[in-house]
Amino acid sequence: MRNISKRKYAMITGLWVRSIFLVFGLFLMKGCIEPFIPETLAEDQQWVVEGFIEAGQGSNVAFVIITRSIPFLEEINRETLDQIFVRGAQVDVSDGAKTITLNELCLSDIPPELREAAAQILNIEIGDEVPNICVYVDLFDQLDRRVGGHYSLIVRLGETEIKATTTIPHFIPLENFRWTDPPGEPNDTLARLMVTVNDPPGENFYRYKTAAGDGPLIPPFVSVTDDVFFDGQEFEFPLQKAEPRDGDFSSDAFGLYTRGDTLTIKWMTLDEDHFHFWNTLDFSANSGGPFASYTRVRSNVNGALGVWGGYAVGYYHMRIPEK
């Protein structure tokens, strides 16, 4: 018994000694750590391009937004947003047969009755004060927007020339919409949507947005996927309801639909470069926190940051059945 007691005493003493050294080491490390503030020089600002061209029933006309990047630690307010949108650029888009110069259009310049329609196309919300958001638009829809088309973009800002190309791939529709009860305990108000896609052989890339009721179309937290796990197969999967990133939602209802509500789905196919932009952007947006790894968002624009992307689109409108 005496030997056992000595061993226990030695173990306890050793644990206390290690704990004291650990706490001392943490305090020592804390005293050695200095805050790091990255350089944020205004003269290092870059051009940022965000442009899209779509084909399909209900698709939007081509448009491009040009902004300036802002320093990492700069405060974002109304004045900052008013200053980052770029005016006076020459934006040309070619569909292979003709080249069109896009029209510059600012929300503050158009009649109030047209602002809401413009905001829906751009997927933004506007309040009583109209922000100084400026876009370049194929106002008269002169481009030949078609599946299989190739489109080049050239932006000229003084002596700076920014270029990009994209394609509109073949549209692969959703099929066999099926409503089921959500997993877990029975629920009379929520439903899960199962859909089927008949994926053709070869690499294909998909993106979608949903709108509940009269709300705006928004993408889910993970909005894109490739077909690496179901290439060439008929594949059924749950299509989650998109939730706003800045909204409040219940973990029990996440991705589920409210019975009796109306639903709009915008389903899109896109090419590989366009997919990589959204895939890296979604990953970066969803991996915050002090221990998150740095993710460089993939861009297909030469001479700037951002994306010039083509979509083949399809819309689906339905009412979610009551229980």
Side-chain angles (χ1 to χ4, degrees), residues 69-119:
S69 64
I70 60 176
F72 182 76
L73 296 179
E74 182 170 321
E75 181 182 353
I76 300 176
N77 51 37
R78 173 62 185 274
E79 184 179 353
T80 305
L81 293 176
D82 283 346
Q83 292 175 354
I84 65 173
F85 289 90
V86 176
R87 305 188 67 163
Q90 180 178 333
V91 182
D92 296 330
V93 177
S94 172
D95 60 14
K98 57 182 175 295
T99 299
I100 300 299
T101 299
L102 303 188
N103 304 96
E104 182 183 299
L105 187 65
C106 296
L107 287 184
S108 57
D109 298 336
I110 64 177
E113 61 271 16
L114 299 179
R115 288 175 188 165
E116 190 62 37

Side-chain angles (χ1 to χ4, degrees), residues 208-282:
Y208 79 97
K209 299 179 180 181
T210 68
D214 297 328
L217 282 163
I218 58 174
F221 290 176
V222 179
S223 65
V224 292
T225 186
D226 56 19
D227 61 353
V228 65
F229 294 115
F230 54 91
D231 181 26
Q233 302 177 34
E234 186 177 74
F235 181 70
E236 186 182 52
F237 61 96
L239 191 78
Q240 291 190 335
K241 175 187 175 183
E243 305 285 357
R245 293 184 183 275
D246 57 349
D248 295 327
F249 51 84
S250 167
S251 59
D252 295 333
F254 184 82
L256 301 175
Y257 301 86
T258 303
R259 291 188 178 275
D261 205 351
T262 57
L263 170 65
T264 299
I265 301 170
K266 183 177 183 179
W267 179 254
M268 299 163 277
T269 54
L270 59 166
D271 66 19
E272 184 174 7
D273 287 339
H274 193 179
F275 162 80
H276 284 307
F277 169 80
W278 289 115
N279 192 37
T280 53
L281 186 64
D282 286 350

Side-chain angles (χ1 to χ4, degrees), residues 22-35:
L22 177 61
V23 172
F24 178 75
L26 290 175
F27 275 108
L28 186 63
M29 290 175 61
K30 183 177 180 181
C32 296
I33 294 174
E34 296 182 2

Side-chain angles (χ1 to χ4, degrees), residues 21-258:
F21 274 105
L22 177 61
V23 172
F24 178 75
L26 290 175
F27 275 108
L28 186 63
M29 290 175 61
K30 183 177 180 181
C32 296
I33 294 174
E34 296 182 2
F36 172 72
I37 301 176
E39 291 188 39
T40 55
L41 303 177
E43 57 266 26
D44 290 339
Q45 283 183 303
Q46 293 180 274
W47 304 114
V48 181
V49 172
E50 184 178 359
F52 305 98
I53 183 166
E54 300 179 351
Q57 188 174 5
S59 58
N60 295 322
V61 297
F63 69 90
V64 176
I65 302 174
I66 306 171
T67 56
R68 300 177 182 87
S69 64
I70 60 176
F72 182 76
L73 296 179
E74 182 170 321
E75 181 182 353
I76 300 176
N77 51 37
R78 173 62 185 274
E79 184 179 353
T80 305
L81 293 176
D82 283 346
Q83 292 175 354
I84 65 173
F85 289 90
V86 176
R87 305 188 67 163
Q90 180 178 333
V91 182
D92 296 330
V93 177
S94 172
D95 60 14
K98 57 182 175 295
T99 299
I100 300 299
T101 299
L102 303 188
N103 304 96
E104 182 183 299
L105 187 65
C106 296
L107 287 184
S108 57
D109 298 336
I110 64 177
E113 61 271 16
L114 299 179
R115 288 175 188 165
E116 190 62 37
Q120 288 180 359
I121 293 175
L122 299 174
N123 199 30
I124 60 175
E125 294 184 11
I126 56 176
D128 296 332
E129 294 187 44
V130 180
N132 189 29
I133 296 176
C134 298
V135 299
Y136 299 84
V137 186
D138 182 11
L139 201 56
F140 303 104
D141 200 11
Q142 301 175 75
L143 292 166
D144 180 18
R145 299 182 290 117
R146 68 189 187 280
V147 169
H150 290 69
Y151 302 91
S152 60
L153 170 71
I154 300 179
V155 177
R156 295 180 176 88
L157 294 159
E159 297 181 356
T160 300
E161 193 171 82
I162 300 167
K163 295 183 178 181
T165 60
T166 192
T167 63
I168 299 180
H170 179 70
F171 181 67
I172 304 167
L174 292 175
E175 302 173 0
N176 302 330
F177 297 85
R178 185 169 65 90
W179 295 98
T180 68
D181 291 329
E185 297 182 2
N187 192 304
D188 294 333
T189 60
L190 298 174
R192 182 173 65 166
L193 175 59
M194 304 294 295
V195 298
T196 301
V197 61
N198 193 355
D199 182 74
E203 289 185 316
N204 299 289
F205 305 93
Y206 304 94
R207 187 169 192 252
Y208 79 97
K209 299 179 180 181
T210 68
D214 297 328
L217 282 163
I218 58 174
F221 290 176
V222 179
S223 65
V224 292
T225 186
D226 56 19
D227 61 353
V228 65
F229 294 115
F230 54 91
D231 181 26
Q233 302 177 34
E234 186 177 74
F235 181 70
E236 186 182 52
F237 61 96
L239 191 78
Q240 291 190 335
K241 175 187 175 183
E243 305 285 357
R245 293 184 183 275
D246 57 349
D248 295 327
F249 51 84
S250 167
S251 59
D252 295 333
F254 184 82
L256 301 175
Y257 301 86
T258 303

